[in-house]
Each structure stands twice: as C-alpha cells, then as structure tokens.
Amino acid sequence: MKKQRLNLEYELHSNSANIIWSLISSAHGLEKWIADSVKRQDDSFIFRWGEEWGNHEIRKAYILSENKQESIRLRWDNDEDKDAYWQLGMVKSDITNDYILTVTDFAEADDMESLRDIWDSNMEQLHRSTGL
C-alpha cells in the first residue's frame, strides 16, 4: 500500500540558522530530540532508542539529499515504499524573524495520527533539551 504524506510545521524560538541546522543535520543535534543515540556514517545515520545493553531498537536512515541550512531528506533502510522519505527543513518566518521547522514524513492512512503524535513528542523533547 502506498503511504500518505504528512506535512508539519513547528515554530522555533531562534533566529540562528547555524543552531537550527545543527539540530536537524548532525548526529549530536538529532540525539537531542529524535533518538537516544545517533551516529553518522558517511551517507547515513544510525538511530538507537533504548539502552544498548537492554531492550532497544536500531534503525538506519540513508541521506537522500542535504541542502545546507535548508533541508535534509532521509529514507529508512527497510522502507518498502521507495517514494517515502522523511525530511527536516528550516524556513525563516517573515513575521517573527525566527525559524520554523518543517517536517515531511510518510505513513499508511491508519498510522497518520500516530506519526503526528511521534513528531509532536519529538518537538516536546527538543523544547525541553534546548529551550527552542
């Protein structure tokens, strides 16, 4: 079954392109709000949730494209829908002069609400760990 596209936007309390870009494109930045551990290996990221010596999940995402201080697009290595990806982007608000984090992701129709909840939870973690 073909997945549906989900587009989300989150206002961040920062006008620093370097800070936002680091949070969405570096292993150290992604570790603050996406997973417990993130490592970059050439053209991919390895994400781990949970304790390494206990119950945990590891997933690999390949970098499809990376436009510096604009967006990064990734695809999970085990995703059967070859048109599906997830993308993190940054757009400057003309009104507040702060950045808006844009998220594009894909899920099956029955999983759309769950996917939205995951991204909302990730954003809560980002706010707690960085204040943005």
Side-chain angles (χ1 to χ4, degrees):
M1 178 187 292
K2 190 155 179 72
K3 294 182 176 181
Q4 296 180 0
R5 183 178 174 151
L6 175 67
N7 294 309
L8 301 169
E9 291 185 355
Y10 300 96
E11 187 173 348
L12 302 174
H13 303 291
S14 175
N15 59 10
S16 170
N18 291 333
I19 289 172
I20 304 304
W21 181 247
S22 175
L23 288 170
I24 68 174
S25 68
S26 73
H28 179 71
L30 291 167
E31 216 169 64
K32 291 179 185 273
W33 64 291
I34 299 278
D36 295 318
S37 171
V38 181
K39 303 221 181 309
R40 184 163 183 167
Q41 294 180 337
D42 300 321
D43 64 344
S44 64
F45 285 102
I46 308 296
F47 295 84
R48 181 183 48 79
W49 294 269
E51 298 299 328
E52 191 168 348
W53 54 87
N55 288 337
H56 65 277
E57 178 181 358
I58 296 175
R59 293 190 70 191
K60 184 175 190 175
Y62 291 101
I63 300 169
L64 301 177
S65 66
E66 189 172 7
N67 300 313
K68 190 168 175 141
Q69 295 194 344
E70 195 172 306
S71 67
I72 185 165
R73 182 177 289 190
L74 305 109
R75 177 181 295 124
W76 294 115
D77 67 339
N78 61 350
D79 201 331
E80 293 176 11
D81 184 345
K82 296 305 176 193
D83 294 328
Y85 59 87
W86 55 289
Q87 179 171 300
L88 304 173
M90 49 190 279
V91 178
K92 192 155 193 163
S93 169
D94 293 334
I95 297 170
T96 64
N97 209 31
D98 285 338
Y99 278 93
I100 296 169
L101 175 66
T102 63
V103 175
T104 302
D105 205 345
F106 288 80
E108 293 182 11
D110 293 347
D111 296 330
M112 292 299 276
E113 194 59 38
S114 180
L115 182 60
R116 181 184 304 275
D117 290 345
I118 288 169
W119 283 111
D120 287 348
S121 177
N122 287 342
M123 287 307 300
E124 288 175 18
Q125 179 60 33
L126 179 65
H127 290 306
R128 278 194 302 275
S129 66
T130 67
L132 300 178

